[in-house]
Amino acid sequence: ENVERDFLYKLNGSKPLGFFYDFWGLSRDYPTVLVSKFIQILPYAYRIVGDIDLACHCLESIIEEKVRFSTTSSKEYSDKSQEINLGENRLGVDFICGNNYMDYSMNVTVEIGPITKAPFENYIHGGKIKLFIDCFYEHFFPLEAQIRTILVMDPQTQTFNFNQQQVLSYTTRI
């Protein structure tokens, strides 16, 4: 009974058990508090997957920052750098006419913030929270969705202060 009680106590604690990292295939680089919350909602994934509103609500409760989203069903792209001469490729096989095309896949823009709970550096590049958010997207958002994340800074963080670590164009404006 004591062994079972200890296991259940650890199961509901703020640190996940090592067993769950291996079982769910999660990286040990993610913040333990976020993984603990994530593991608790994974059994309900069948209800969350595909419901973007519910997935954003879950992400908001895990990272404890405000999360909003918007979707578009089609988007027109234009890329001048992709222009190719006709003699180099076959029309309809290697390229399309022109450099404008419509993408009809689902485009989701997720807006996180204003970020106040964790340092901003954790949300960009190889930051631990960014890696976790990407993992969350893989588990709960539709596979065909193109996801774009926008980070909103806290107004107090945007002020220029040499005593804090600054990230040019994110936390510092010239």
Side-chain angles (χ1 to χ4, degrees), residues 82-161:
Q82 295 295 324
E83 291 180 354
I84 299 172
N85 294 330
L86 185 58
E88 298 173 1
N89 295 300
R90 294 170 292 171
L91 182 61
V93 175
D94 297 332
F95 70 103
I96 59 172
C97 281
N99 55 7
N100 296 340
Y101 62 94
M102 290 294 292
D103 179 17
Y104 292 101
S105 61
M106 177 187 287
N107 296 287
V108 180
T109 302
V110 178
E111 186 176 299
I112 301 173
I115 298 171
T116 58
K117 304 284 187 207
F120 182 73
E121 295 83 26
N122 291 344
Y123 286 89
I124 58 174
H125 306 302
K128 291 183 177 186
I129 296 177
K130 183 202 182 316
L131 296 174
F132 174 79
I133 290 172
D134 291 342
C135 175
F136 185 89
Y137 290 160
E138 290 174 9
H139 281 80
F140 293 108
F141 279 72
L143 182 64
E144 70 276 0
Q146 300 292 324
I147 303 169
R148 180 173 159 237
T149 304
I150 297 175
L151 302 172
V152 179
M153 293 301 303
D154 185 37
Q156 284 84 20
T157 308
Q158 288 181 1
T159 58
F160 191 73
N161 184 353

